[in-house]
Amino acid sequence: MSRVADVIRQALVRCRAREQRPLARPDGARPVALGTRLFPLFPHTADDADQA
């Protein structure tokens, strides 16, 4: 999970300058906010299939 989070952070770093420098944004681009939540899910059991 930490590797996935690192890949996401690295991808976003390339765009960080655009936050403070609107001229660095592509034409028509608008600022956005991004939130991520990475956490383990409980394992599925055979009983879970009956409830779906």
Side-chain angles (χ1 to χ4, degrees):
M1 194 173 318
S2 63
R3 284 189 230 160
V4 171
D6 288 341
V7 169
I8 292 169
R9 285 188 205 102
Q10 290 171 13
L12 295 174
V13 163
R14 295 179 287 172
C15 301
R16 187 171 226 162
R18 298 176 186 180
E19 183 179 349
Q20 300 299 321
R21 296 180 25 229
L23 294 176
R25 298 177 193 152
D27 289 340
R30 296 177 54 173
V32 299
L34 174 71
T36 59
R37 298 183 328 167
L38 300 172
F39 53 89
L41 299 176
F42 292 111
H44 292 285
T45 65
D47 293 337
D48 291 340
D50 295 336
Q51 296 176 8

